[in-house]
Amino acid sequence: MHTITFLGTSAGVPTRTRNVSALALQLENSKEWMLFDCGEGTQHRIMNTSLSAYHLSRIFITHLHGDHVYGLCGLLASKGMQRCESALEIYGPPGLRELLENVMHLSQLNLPFDLKIFEISEGTLLRYEGFKIDVVALSHSIVSFGFVISFDDRPGHFDAEKARSLGIPEGPLFARLKRGESITLPDGSTIEGSTLVGPPTRGKRIVIGGDNDAPLLFAPYAPFDLMIHEATYTQADFDRLPRKFLHTTAKQLSLAAEQMGVDHLILNHISPRYDKNDRISELLDEAKRYFSGKVDIAYDFMQIGV
């Protein structure tokens, strides 16, 4: 099972209990992990988990607002101090390369590992072993992206007992049958692997959204097992704002999630006003009025399995 750890769940500025945006995804049966956004102080949050910057392999930045990116250079410097030599990939919007290269040059940050910076755009498709990531352009005051992570289907259950009853010895022949291949036994009979393997299990699909006031932009990739998306305000608070910001409300997000067939919805990027006045329940209550699936509000160090 893959593990998601919320490292920062506040919008704009940190609070006493929430840091600014960052989220970790650790791959199943591996020390390797990936980071989505890196607000100021993210490396301090990492130090309070079982994660290690040494095993961080990829970073994905949704957009270049400070609460999503100001912790990046400090994290790179600390990773370098650990004498890590494996390459680190960073993906983000145009301007990311200029930002990093200027800070590294002016602060004389020399890294012992190869830093690979990729500037992404709408429609970018990233493929890795076991999963792929679609990049989705969002609606915000600055170029902002979301990431749809689709894990590969898992092979169906292999009926080892039936294979033994057919006289097939364990070992390489079992492995071939598990892959769905056909084998020929010494007596000349042929066994089709498909007769011993059940139907595949559909790979999970999750959404990690950047700042965005139009969650239905993810609809072409629906349905989703898990959607993590900002819900910065309740609808009533947003309606009272003298200046409107391009953020999503709990109502707006929940209506969209219901339409897209989301199984589990997690509200993230929470305005500090709800922490200061102990009003978190207002966001959750609003979401539950418009979404019939499982819904939670993210908090720092919250972990879920995928």
Side-chain angles (χ1 to χ4, degrees):
M1 183 174 292
H2 312 293
T3 303
I4 291 174
T5 303
F6 290 87
L7 300 170
T9 57
S10 182
V13 297
T15 71
R16 292 180 182 273
T17 58
R18 297 178 185 271
N19 200 43
V20 284
S21 294
L23 179 153
L25 172 58
Q26 185 169 18
L27 300 177
E28 183 179 36
N29 300 322
S30 174
K31 293 182 178 180
E32 179 187 353
W33 63 284
M34 303 177 291
L35 179 66
F36 293 82
D37 282 338
C38 188
E40 177 188 0
T42 294
Q43 64 173 315
H44 293 277
R45 283 309 208 225
I46 294 171
M47 292 171 64
N48 287 287
T49 71
S50 61
L51 300 168
S52 168
Y54 188 90
H55 297 293
L56 175 60
S57 60
R58 301 180 186 97
I59 300 175
F60 300 88
I61 301 298
T62 61
H63 64 292
L64 297 183
H65 276 158
D67 58 323
H68 294 255
V69 76
Y70 280 170
L72 187 52
C73 292
L75 177 60
L76 293 179
S78 294
K79 183 175 174 67
M81 292 290 287
Q82 295 182 10
R83 309 311 302 170
C84 180
E85 296 181 355
S86 56
L88 175 66
E89 300 173 357
I90 302 183
Y91 300 84
L96 177 64
R97 180 181 300 277
E98 180 181 4
L99 171 67
L100 290 176
E101 290 182 347
N102 283 341
V103 172
M104 292 171 64
H105 170 69
L106 293 172
S107 64
Q108 299 183 14
L109 174 57
N110 298 305
L111 300 174
F113 53 84
D114 185 14
L115 182 64
K116 299 180 179 181
I117 304 171
F118 302 93
E119 294 189 342
I120 55 179
S121 60
E122 164 73 1
T124 296
L125 176 60
L126 308 170
R127 293 188 181 275
Y128 307 101
E129 183 178 354
F131 64 97
K132 67 176 182 177
I133 298 180
D134 286 280
V135 176
V136 182
L138 304 179
S139 173
H140 195 48
S141 57
I142 190 174
V143 174
S144 182
F145 294 110
F147 302 99
V148 176
I149 306 170
S150 302
F151 292 98
D152 293 350
D153 292 346
R154 292 176 178 262
H157 173 72
F158 176 67
D159 192 338
E161 288 301 320
K162 183 176 180 181
R164 294 189 190 96
S165 70
L166 294 172
I168 303 170
E170 294 188 36
L173 293 181
F174 264 40
R176 290 179 57 189
L177 290 169
K178 287 179 181 179
R179 294 193 295 267
E181 299 176 10
S182 62
I183 64 170
T184 301
L185 298 178
D187 63 5
S189 60
T190 299
I191 305 295
E192 297 290 340
S194 59
T195 64
L196 297 171
V197 179
T201 301
R202 183 182 64 84
K204 300 291 186 179
R205 179 173 295 177
I206 67 176
V207 171
I208 298 175
D211 287 8
N212 172 43
D213 74 340
L216 281 174
L217 287 170
F218 289 107
Y221 301 89
F224 304 113
D225 299 281
L226 173 65
M227 185 174 194
I228 300 168
H229 194 283
E230 66 137 312
T232 309
Y233 309 104
T234 63
Q235 191 65 50
D237 283 338
F238 180 81
D239 291 341
R240 286 192 292 264
L241 291 176
R243 178 187 172 195
K244 304 302 183 187
F245 298 92
L246 297 179
H247 287 293
T248 299
T249 67
K251 176 182 177 180
Q252 182 186 8
L253 175 60
S254 299
L255 286 170
E258 187 75 17
Q259 183 175 332
M260 290 187 288
V262 174
D263 287 340
H264 186 187
L265 177 64
I266 299 182
L267 282 57
N268 195 23
H269 197 264
I270 307 302
S271 169
R273 71 187 64 201
Y274 300 103
D275 270 356
K276 291 178 181 177
N277 302 302
D278 195 25
R279 297 175 55 202
I280 288 295
S281 61
E282 295 178 29
L283 287 164
L284 187 60
D285 290 344
E286 179 168 290
K288 287 182 176 180
R289 283 199 296 272
Y290 301 100
F291 180 67
S292 60
K294 181 180 180 182
V295 59
D296 290 299
I297 294 183
Y299 57 86
D300 286 22
F301 303 119
M302 172 181 177
Q303 286 191 325
I304 58 172
V306 180

